[in-house]
């Protein structure tokens, strides 16, 4: 069950529950011990992915010069040179994936677009693992030990890693004339966009898919993420939306009555008797939120194996029950689709993996740089909640011994008035978003200039465009990818 | 004599002697104990400069999140709001000087251009001191203690300081709509240009005067700096150039003979008997190099009080001697102009201030990030010399316990193929250079795009355009400043 238990934390941008104080186990607390990450690295779904594995001696700290800043760690990267034909002028491009918060194989598996287009561009493919994820652990098994070690887990250091590694790689391959295009999805997309902005001398352009670079400060309304999730369900069926919206009260009511936890354990087929109602709450929440993110038009296995249009399927399940059936039975059955599409699970380890001593990279990042305030409005299908910087800061302090710097991201990378700022500055970025994905609300949804382009699909979901092409891909997805290819081609030309 | 002794080290971009191994006291070794810097802060030439002094609680380390990264130090900045008229829309601009390697008062004194133009723009003026200089010492008197503390003295941290401070200031002044333009000269000009490139969301444009951002790696020929110095003298008089060129051998020959050091002590009017010929060597070298940098068309007192066109004056002195006079007498007399234009010094503390235990900020920066390889060619007026990364690295290791990262600056900020990179990326930068200034050779001397502009004056010197207007300013200087004003106005419009 390791697969299930670490999944929520693995999730690129794990939605931080709004009113964390309500829950005994706020979602940004680690759910999985570190070893499940490294286990994961050894259990690739497709060990035959056509990449060779390499390690680069990377500098621990690019921005200070204490003796310890010079410590070197092994940064993992994957390469595929099958299609790389440098030609007489040695100018075939290099496509680099700027890894995000997980082991790099996972992103390579789920970014088939780069493999799909490599032959056309004769491109070299490089997937670089983000420091402090996968096997790229600066302090080995002690990397997550404390703020002393985790302190080096930042986006700015990660971008500098990519710059140093790419430059070295080009030199070693005698490929100085090869243009570099960076690709990334989700947090990786944010990194790709920021990389183009901060290191234009290293990358000629960036495809930033589902990159919510505007999910900071007050740029995007704080309720928009959960409102978007809710709309996805409401669009499918008003009954579906209402059942989910009303289920939270029923959950609490059942838990509060005598024998309620036992009842919940049965309803939710818990392998072990449930101790806390909040674990069920989180379990359901996770299923609904992440299914919205991966509401793909084809069957896929990004977070979990799911059918095409999984929200439609979930709502079909909910709507299929007789009106009088308990809401908890309905939402359990919907969540069962997310956790058990294969159908081979007879029970769920709902409270397993919520290891209070486990450590997890994104939680640290959310507690330092990646402060994305989120609330649930009354219009959402979730219990309404507010957000308080101080409260959040106190929790991070208790957890890690450091406070978030909530305005640092917009200071370092911008975001406010992005249209005005980038209209006459910067170039060659594609921001692609699918509106089914709640993260789209924090993305760039309108063209900023003739070369900073927004590609928006109404029915797309979380970095759908980056996935391998399938025979079932809808026309609008083929069209989106074609646009991306044409734009990338124009950068290279 | 504190003024004289610390001057060379204070110098913005102290030319690192090429073949340091030749000298017993390489120039990048500190020449002045720290207290002369702080003394300097209290001995402003013009205490009536119209600025108020402020301190900002600045974060020690912007790029890591260890508990100690949160340490706060007081960063000094100066303000003048006399001319700031925000108008009904609160949109009057803020002009910020991005401080370089010295106390901020010194730069305020020598950047009168900003005060001169403030009324026209109704601008608020802000001069921010660079961390680890002046009074902005993160660890107080222990700031220069070791690489542990000095490690935080980097350009990237300095730029982030400016971003954080400006953002906070705008918020506190309710001036969020006020456009910010950054100004800087020399290393401060590099910072201004890089600030616009890295923080376009904070500054709408940059005037980077005499900013040798291409003096790294192999972008600019290594011999160009000293060749340019030499050309300045040769342009004035071939005899002057040759006397200086031949004086180094005479210096060594005199030192080598019996009683030679005593003879040199007399010739160079040393207050105390000279112990090492290399101190005389450095003393002369300093005079010739820095006079080239500040070869202004008007009398000025930037590094030292000097007349207009001081190289012309120096060469007039050298050429005025009868042919048979000793070359050392000639070069001493020329150097006397640099060190003693006021004429009130009866002797020179040539070896004073060469405190081997003193610590100095730029030396650290040169030994970590700011690696600008320089050689002296046979065509120069200096003894020919080579440059070796390893040798330099060994010296830095011996001195500070850390090695330079010689390719970091071009990785972080670019520089190679800058025309191609910035042609379609970035905007609103003026690179101004005067060709009398040897640093111009590492500057941007051609327009890159319609808004990344090079303003080059044949007779200008080191950030001459930033100096207060004087009644003697030549027409070409008035014209250059007018162009700068027009361009800045166009950014604001």
């Amino acid at each position: 069950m390791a697969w299930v238990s670490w999944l929520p934390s693995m999730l690129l941008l794990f939605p931080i529950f709004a009113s964390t104080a309500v829950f005994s186990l706020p979602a940004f607390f680690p759910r999985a011990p570190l070893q499940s990450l490294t286990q994961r690295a050894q259990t690739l779904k497709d060990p035959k992915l056509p990449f060779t594995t390499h390690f680069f001696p990377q500098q621990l700290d690019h921005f200070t010069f204490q003796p310890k800043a010079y410590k070197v760690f092994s940064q993992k990267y994957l390469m595929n040179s099958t299609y790389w034909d440098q030609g007489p002028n040695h100018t075939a491009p290099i496509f680099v994936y700027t890894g995000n918060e997980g082991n790099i194989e996972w992103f390579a598996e789920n970014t088939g677009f780069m493999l799909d287009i490599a032959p056309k561009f004769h491109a070299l493919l490089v997937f670089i693992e983000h420091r402090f994820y996968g096997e790229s652990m600066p302090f080995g098994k002690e990397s997550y030990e404390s703020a002393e070690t985790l302190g080096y887990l930042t986006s700015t250091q990660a971008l500098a890693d990519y710059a140093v590694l790419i430059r070295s790689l080009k030199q070693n391959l005698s490929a100085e004339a090869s243009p570099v295009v960076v690709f990334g999805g989700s947090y990786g997309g944010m990194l790709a966009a920021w990389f183009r902005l901060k290191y234009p001398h290293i990358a000629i352009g960036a495809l930033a898919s589902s990159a919510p670079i505007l999910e900071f400060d007050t740029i995007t309304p704080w309720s928009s993420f959960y409102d978007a999730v809710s709309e996805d369900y409401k669009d499918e069926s008003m009954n579906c939306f209402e059942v989910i919206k009303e289920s939270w009260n029923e959950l609490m009511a059942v838990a509060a009555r005598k024998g309620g936890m036992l009842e919940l354990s049965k309803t939710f087929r818990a392998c072990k008797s449930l101790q806390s109602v909040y674990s069920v709450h989180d379990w359901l929440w996770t299923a609904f939120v992440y299914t919205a993110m991966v509401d793909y038009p084809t069957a896929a296995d990004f977070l979990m194996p799911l059918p095409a249009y999984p929200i439609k399927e979930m709502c079909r399940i909910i709507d299929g029950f007789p009106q009088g059936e308990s809401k908890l039975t309905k939402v359990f059955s919907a969540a069962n689709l997310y956790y058990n599409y294969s159908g081979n699970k007879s029970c769920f380890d709902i409270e397993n993996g919520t290891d209070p001593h486990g450590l997890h990279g994104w939680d640290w990042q959310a507690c330092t740089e990646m402060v994305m305030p989120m609330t649930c409005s009354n219009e959402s299908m979730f219990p309404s909640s507010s957000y308080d910087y101080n409260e959040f800061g106190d929790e991070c302090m208790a957890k890690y011994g450091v406070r978030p710097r909530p305005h640092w991201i917009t200071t370092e990378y911008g975001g406010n008035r992005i249209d005005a700022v980038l209209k006459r500055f910067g170039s060659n970025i594609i921001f692609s978003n699918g509106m089914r994905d709640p993260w789209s609300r924090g993305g760039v949804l309108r063209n900023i200039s003739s070369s900073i382009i927004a590609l928006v699909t109404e029915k797309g979901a979380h970095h759908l465009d980056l996935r391998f092409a399938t025979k079932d891909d809808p026309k609008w997805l083929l069209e989106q990818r074609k646009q991306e290819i044409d734009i990338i081609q124009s950068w290279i030309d």
Side-chain angles (χ1 to χ4, degrees), chain A residues 92 144 224 230 253 286 338 412 462:
Chain A
Y144 282 59
S224 61
S230 306
T286 297
Y338 179 77
E412 178 66 13
H462 206 51

Side-chain angles (χ1 to χ4, degrees), chain A residues 14 21 34 45 59 78 102-103 124 133 175 227 241 282 299 301 422 425 427 435 442 454 463 467 471 477:
Chain A
F14 184 69
L34 183 58
K45 284 197 184 164
Q59 174 143 336
L78 310 178
N103 69 73
L124 175 70
Y133 292 97
D227 284 347
F241 167 84
D282 289 1
D301 181 5
L422 295 188
F425 185 98
S427 57
M435 295 307 286
H463 46 71
R467 302 187 62 74
K471 61 179 175 34
L477 177 56

